[in-house]
Amino acid sequence: MNSKTSTPEFGTLRQIFWPIHSFEMKKFIPMFLMFGCVNLNYSLLRLTKDTLVVNAAATGAAVLPYLKLWCTTPAAILFTIIYIKLASVLSRKNLFYAAMLPFLIFFLVFPYLLYPNIDVLHPSTSASWLLHYLPSGLHGLVEVYKNWTFSLFYVVAELWGSICLSTLFWGCVNEVTKVTEAKRFYGFLGIGANIPLLFVGGTVEKILSLGDWETSLKVLMTLCLGVGIVVIALYWYLNNIVMEDPRFKLTAVKKKKKKVKMGFGESLKLLSSSKYLACLAFMVLAYGVSVNLVEISWKQYVKDLFAGDQKGYLQFTSNWMTYTGVASLVFMLFGTSNSLRILGWGKTALITPIVLFCASAIFFGNLLFPDVVMGLLGALSLSPLFIACWVGGFHNTFGKSSKYSFFDPTKEIAYIPLDEHTKKTGKAAIDGVGGRLGKSGGAAINMLFIGLLGSVDAITSYVAFVCLAVVGLWIVAVKVLNKEFVSLTTEIESREKPLVTAAQTITSGKKLFPKLTEAEESR
C-alpha cells in the first residue's frame, strides 16, 4: 500500500501542529473570522455593560444579582421561546438573520437615542421614593428600575453571549461540520475568537481618548453594529458559497423528516429525560454559577478601586480582557487540539473545572485570610483592595481562557453525535436557558446572602463554599457524560471506518488520492 495513503490522519509533524488541510481552508476561514467577530462584540458589550451598570448604581456590583435573576433570565427564556417558535416556521438561514436583527437595531438606538436622554428617561423621583420606603434588601431591584436603559443594555449584552455566540454561531458550525473535522477545527476556531481580545485593551484606550464618555459610547456601539453586519455577511458566504462545494457535502445524509413543533416546556422535558443532555446542561449551568459567584465580588472591588471613574473602570477591565486573549491563544496553540487528540474528550473537558476550582480557592483564600496574604506581600507595599482586584483579574483571565480553549470546544463537540432533532432542540434549551439559569442561580445565591448579611464582604465565606461545591459536582457530570459520549462516537466511527478502508483499498498503489483526507473528501 502506498505509504502516504496509509499514513494516519495526524501522523506527520505538520498534522500535529496544523491538522487542517489546504483544501479545507475555504471552509475553515469564514468560520474562523465569524467566531472572531462574534466574540469581539461580546467582549466590548461585556465591558461596557458592567461599566454602565456598576458605576451608575448606588449599590455598586450588588445590583448585578438582581439584574441577572430578574431581567436576563426572563429575557433569555422569552427569547428562547420565540426562537423555538420561529425555528418551526423559518428556514435555518432565515432564522439566523431574524435572530441577529434585534441586536443590530439596538446597537443603533441605544447610543444615539436612549443614552443622550437618560436624564429624562430615568425615573429618579419615583426611584428615590422607593429607596426610602422599601427595605434595603430590595434596593438593588430599585436600582435596576432607576437606571432602566442601562439595565436594558445589560440584558442585550448578556443575550448576545447566550444567543449569538452559543446558539447561532455554534449552531451554524455544528450544522456544517463532521465529527472528524470538529476534532481538528474546533481548537483552532477558538484562536479566531481570541485574537480580537489581544487588541481590546488598546482599542478601548483609543476610543476613550476620542472625547467624553458619551462620544466614546457612540463609537463603541457603532463598531459593534459594523461587526454584526460582517457576521451576517460571513454567514451568508459560508452557507451559500462554501457549502455548495461538493467537497464539503456532509457524509451522513439523513432522511428528511417533517419539522417537529416543540414548545419551550417540551424542550425542558427533553433535558430531564436524557442523561446525556442533563449532564451537558449541568456543565453549562455550573460554569455560569461558579464564575458569577466570583465576579460579583471582583467587580465590587474594582468599582471601589476606581471610585466611580467610568473610564478608569473600563480601561482596567479591558486590560484584563487582553490578558485573557493572550492566555487563550497560548492554550489553543499548544493545548486544545492536541489535548483532544491525545487525552480524549473526557480529560480535556475536565481542564476547565479544575482550573476554576484552583483559581476560586486562591481568590476566596485571599479574601478570607488577608493577614496571611499581606504578610507574604507586605514588602511590596500594596493595598488589600489592589491585591483583591488583581487576584480577581487572574481568576477572570484563567477561568475564561480555559473556557474558550477547552470548555467551549468540548461542549460543542458533545452535540455532534446527537440526531438532528435532539441537537437542535437540546442546544437551544441548554445554551439559551441553561447558561442563563447558571448565571441567575449564582445571582440568586449572591442576592440571598446579601439580603441576609447586608454586604458583598460579609458573604465571602458562604459564597466560597457554594462555588467550590458546584465545581466539584461539575467534575462528576463530566465523568458521567464522557461514558455516554464515548459510546455514541464509537458507534458513529465504526460505521464510517469501512468507508475509509474502501477508499484506501481503491487508491492503493495509485496517485489518485495521495492523502487520506482527500479520500475523506471523496466521501
Side-chain angles (χ1 to χ4, degrees), residues 213-287:
W213 173 244
E214 185 174 336
T215 301
S216 301
L217 186 62
K218 287 179 179 178
V219 175
L220 278 168
M221 292 301 97
T222 303
L223 176 60
C224 288
L225 175 64
V227 171
I229 293 172
V230 171
V231 169
I232 291 176
L234 288 169
Y235 177 85
W236 181 90
Y237 176 77
L238 177 64
N239 283 274
N240 292 278
I241 303 298
V242 174
M243 293 309 297
E244 291 301 313
D245 189 324
R247 294 177 296 179
F248 301 126
K249 293 295 183 183
L250 299 182
T251 58
V253 180
K254 297 183 176 70
K255 291 182 179 180
K256 203 167 184 181
K257 297 180 180 179
K258 292 182 179 179
K259 288 187 177 179
V260 179
K261 294 185 178 182
M262 176 173 278
F264 179 71
E266 291 174 306
S267 67
L268 291 182
K269 188 182 296 184
L270 174 65
L271 297 184
S272 64
S273 64
S274 168
K275 182 167 71 172
Y276 190 98
L277 291 177
C279 288
L280 196 53
F282 185 80
M283 289 167 56
V284 175
L285 184 146
Y287 174 81

Side-chain angles (χ1 to χ4, degrees), residues 189 264 354 514:
L189 279 179
F264 179 71
I354 290 172

